[in-house]
Amino acid sequence: MSNVGLRINESIVRPEKSLIEQFRGLPVANIGDSINRTFCLNAAIRPFNDNPLLGPALTVKVRPGDNLLLHKALDMAKPGDIIVVDGQGETANALIGELMVLWAIKLGIGGFVIDGAIRDVTRLRSVGIPVYAAGVTPAGPYKDGPGEINHPVVCGGVVVNPGDIVVGDADGIVVIQPQDAKAVLEKARAKSQAEQQTLIDIENGSWDRTWVDAALKEKGCGGIR
């Protein structure tokens, strides 16, 4: 019998690793542009080190300030998984810190995305695993529950399903549904190639800017010839 709000889904469908790896190195901004600037986590979720983030989502919903289910998720995660936590943006209590992150590294976990607070950030800035969060506090968490694992969550204003592809860099995070991955990948690659040409045009002083006046004229802007 399902106990909504306190339940765990043991099995999720993860995309093929070869598909996920094709997103490595693509700028998150270009991926975001390729999905019409949607499914980008809001700016409250920011990186706390320079490690790029890429992998399938293992989703966790917790009661704000409580990390009991997050500890369980740590024990369930497979190597490469990104633990995505819906903490409702509450930053009064840290949900993870140095000890949990170091254990995650031992397990081969791919990273953390926490819509909530973290602590021990001086240490986390130097670890070899990406950590994104909405805030920092020295106050520790409670361990009472409830919560859910591997059910849909909302993180940074975006719905994340278990198994979604999560990509992060210094700009932030974007979420890609597996069924859309190949189409998004094609568009993001094309976007990146077009930007490489624009960089060449900028260097040569030949960047075509006529589109600006054309767009303003189309909108009826006064003073545009």
Side-chain angles (χ1 to χ4, degrees), residues 43-65:
I45 311 295
R46 62 191 189 278
F48 282 84
N49 56 44
D50 296 327
N51 301 303
L53 180 142
L54 176 65
L58 187 156
T59 60
V60 188
K61 183 175 180 60
V62 301
R63 180 171 66 86

Side-chain angles (χ1 to χ4, degrees), residues 13-24 54-56 78-81 108 163 165 178 181 185:
V13 178
R14 295 169 175 84
E16 290 291 332
K17 186 175 180 180
S18 59
L19 176 61
I20 296 172
E21 282 298 315
Q22 292 182 73
F23 285 94
R24 190 171 299 280
L54 176 65
K78 303 295 184 184
D81 281 353
I165 299 171
L185 181 63

Side-chain angles (χ1 to χ4, degrees), residues 165-189:
I165 299 171
V166 187
V167 190
D169 62 18
D171 284 342
I173 295 173
V174 66
V175 177
I176 306 155
Q177 295 183 5
Q179 65 268 27
D180 300 326
K182 290 183 179 179
V184 172
L185 181 63
E186 183 178 346
K187 291 174 69 175
R189 283 174 170 168

